[in-house]
Amino acid sequence: MRAAAYGAVSRDSGLVPLTVARRAPKPNDVEIAIEFCGLCHSDVHATRGEWGGQSYPLVPGHEIVGTVSRVGSDVTRFAVGDRVGVGCMVDSCRECDSCLDGLEQYCENGMTGTYGAKDRRDGDVITQGGYSSSIVVDRRYVLRVPASLDPAAVAPLLCAGVTTFSPLRHFDAGEGDVVGVVGLGGLGHMAVKLAKAMGAKVVVFTTSESKVAAALELGADQVVLSRDEAAMAAADRTVDLIIDTVAAPHDLNPFFRTLRVDGALFQLGLPSEAMPPVNPGALIRRRIAYAGSLIGGIAETQEMLDFCAEHGVVADIEVVSAGRLNEAYDRMVAGDVKYRFVLDTGTLHTAAEEADA
Ligand code: NAP
Ligand code: ZN
Ligand code: ZN
């Protein structure tokens, strides 16, 4: 079957109408009619070839929400009509220690990304993502979307949500902790909502004066303009855990100075260019841990969705049609979105027809 999609045909083509092949469901597969797909900054990095080694055509999208349209003969946990989600991975080896520990994102043999990855069970096939009308995914990598949550606003939880939930949980953030969130974009605004729902106090560090009021509205207890040296100095030793979501190279040393003894900074953003060097003294003098974190495991993603249902947490979104995807990418890079664009895949066919006319 071929599905309507939008994707890049080269690193500078922008997103154009395409079709992608989707396999007929195998016994353990779930076929999903996609309703919404979030636009992650990783989609921009990937489609524009900023991380290198990209093959084209490439259909991005790993914040997928839709309804089950068909199931394979061995699938019992999902039925046609169920609302489901797919995040950043669609497969892993299922045998290594990481996979057996529910840490499929750290699969020792390499997890299979939702797009742009070699399908490990199907020879030459390269996976294609959620800017598409349908997708077929092994049931083990399909999540249940709680019925109480708006499906469009749930989509960003599948990447931005779990990517911030996972380090917050790893640090055991909660009441009595001060969580710093650096960068108020798609990931950053989810970090604010999740940390607040876990009972922590939240300080937002932003480069954008225009986001100060919005950050407070989101629930932040305090906002610091990170380019204001005096404000940063005043924040010295006030924070326990930093979730850094900035998509571009930036100096981390001023942020280490805001941490208390035994604090930690988790870097989630993956800029394409080198970062300024970290000053080891800044880490050593306060026993600070500088860590990274990649999305979350499948069970943890389900736990995050259920946590969000319990606490009424979803993303703040702006829904876009397929014809406006390129404009949305430019606005995301310019920081002009509060806080996540979500593609309405119902517009894929009309946009493709208009492009043909
Ligand atoms: P986003 O919505 O574009 O937000 C990034 C934020 O970074 C901006 O809103 C901005 O916040 C801040 N920023 C400061 N200077 C910037 C600059 N020169 N260029 C761009 N942003 C700048 O991006 P996102 O979707 O949240 O993704 C953030 C990063 O995380 C990306 O690098 C993405 O690839 C990565 N990511 C990693 C994982 C993982 O598993 N580790 C998962 C998903 C995404 P202020 O205006 O508040 O300063
Ligand atoms: Zn993402
Ligand atoms: Zn594995």
Side-chain angles (χ1 to χ4, degrees):
M1 188 185 84
R2 294 200 75 81
Y6 252 62
V9 291
S10 71
R11 59 179 296 160
D12 45 26
S13 67
L15 297 165
V16 297
L18 297 170
T19 60
V20 283
R22 298 297 190 194
R23 65 178 182 258
K26 293 189 276 193
N28 277 300
D29 280 341
V30 176
E31 182 190 72
I32 301 162
I34 302 176
E35 299 170 283
F36 298 101
C37 185
L39 274 57
C40 177
H41 208 114
S42 298
D43 301 346
V44 180
H45 293 309
T47 50
R48 295 183 175 176
E50 293 173 8
W51 288 333
Q54 201 68 67
S55 64
Y56 297 94
L58 176 72
V59 174
H62 57 208
E63 294 183 336
I64 298 168
V65 168
T67 55
V68 174
S69 52
R70 270 199 289 178
V71 292
S73 52
D74 291 349
V75 176
T76 52
R77 226 162 51 84
F78 296 103
V80 171
D82 287 356
R83 182 157 279 130
V84 293
V86 175
C88 300
M89 47 183 172
V90 290
D91 206 351
S92 63
C93 84
R94 306 175 196 168
E95 287 168 359
C96 73
D97 286 349
S98 292
C99 283
L100 296 176
D101 280 349
L103 297 168
E104 301 90 345
Q105 74 275 35
Y106 304 117
C107 173
E108 291 165 21
N109 298 301
M111 58 104 154
T112 305
T114 302
Y115 58 79
K118 199 167 170 301
D119 185 324
R120 67 198 323 128
R121 293 166 217 274
D122 207 350
D124 303 326
V125 173
I126 299 291
T127 59
Q128 302 290 358
Y131 299 3
S132 172
S133 54
S134 77
I135 193 167
V136 179
V137 178
D138 185 283
R139 64 174 171 81
R140 298 169 188 86
Y141 302 84
V142 177
L143 289 312
R144 293 198 160 280
V145 171
S148 60
L149 300 176
D150 170 30
V154 160
L157 302 184
L158 275 307
C159 173
V162 71
T163 301
T164 50
F165 182 85
S166 185
L168 285 165
R169 277 287 204 245
H170 191 71
F171 190 86
D172 199 20
E175 226 165 293
D177 292 319
V178 178
V179 173
V181 176
V182 184
L184 197 59
L187 266 59
H189 97 290
M190 286 312 309
V192 173
K193 290 187 182 211
L194 291 168
K196 286 304 294 181
M198 290 174 189
K201 200 178 152 210
V202 173
V203 183
V204 167
F205 295 93
T206 178
T207 60
S208 310
E209 272 182 55
S210 60
K211 291 184 187 168
V212 173
L216 294 169
E217 255 170 59
L218 266 181
D221 298 279
Q222 195 190 336
V223 185
V224 176
L225 288 172
S226 52
R227 288 184 179 143
D228 177 341
E229 281 180 27
M232 287 298 282
D236 187 82
R237 292 179 203 266
T238 57
V239 177
D240 299 295
L241 165 69
I242 289 180
I243 304 290
D244 184 320
T245 72
V246 177
H250 57 295
D251 187 4
L252 294 175
N253 296 299
F255 296 104
F256 291 132
R257 287 195 282 275
T258 69
L259 286 170
R260 294 178 174 136
V261 171
D262 281 338
L265 185 148
F266 280 89
Q267 182 172 345
L268 304 182
L270 196 54
S272 47
E273 290 145 47
M275 299 270 290
V278 164
N279 169 11
L283 304 179
I284 288 166
R285 279 192 289 274
R286 299 184 192 176
R287 196 161 60 181
I288 286 169
Y290 171 32
S293 185
L294 179 66
I295 51 173
I298 294 296
E300 189 173 42
T301 306
Q302 190 64 59
E303 185 193 334
M304 176 274 311
L305 286 167
D306 297 342
F307 176 91
C308 287
E310 192 185 326
H311 293 270
V313 172
V314 284
D316 288 10
I317 59 164
E318 181 175 336
V319 175
V320 288
S321 59
R324 287 185 51 220
L325 282 170
N326 291 307
E327 179 195 331
Y329 270 24
D330 290 340
R331 282 184 52 199
M332 191 192 329
V333 172
D336 176 25
V337 50
K338 286 201 177 68
Y339 289 93
R340 199 55 138 191
F341 288 113
V342 172
L343 168 67
D344 173 357
T345 59
T347 64
L348 282 167
H349 289 286
T350 20
E353 281 157 19
E354 276 165 22
D356 279 347

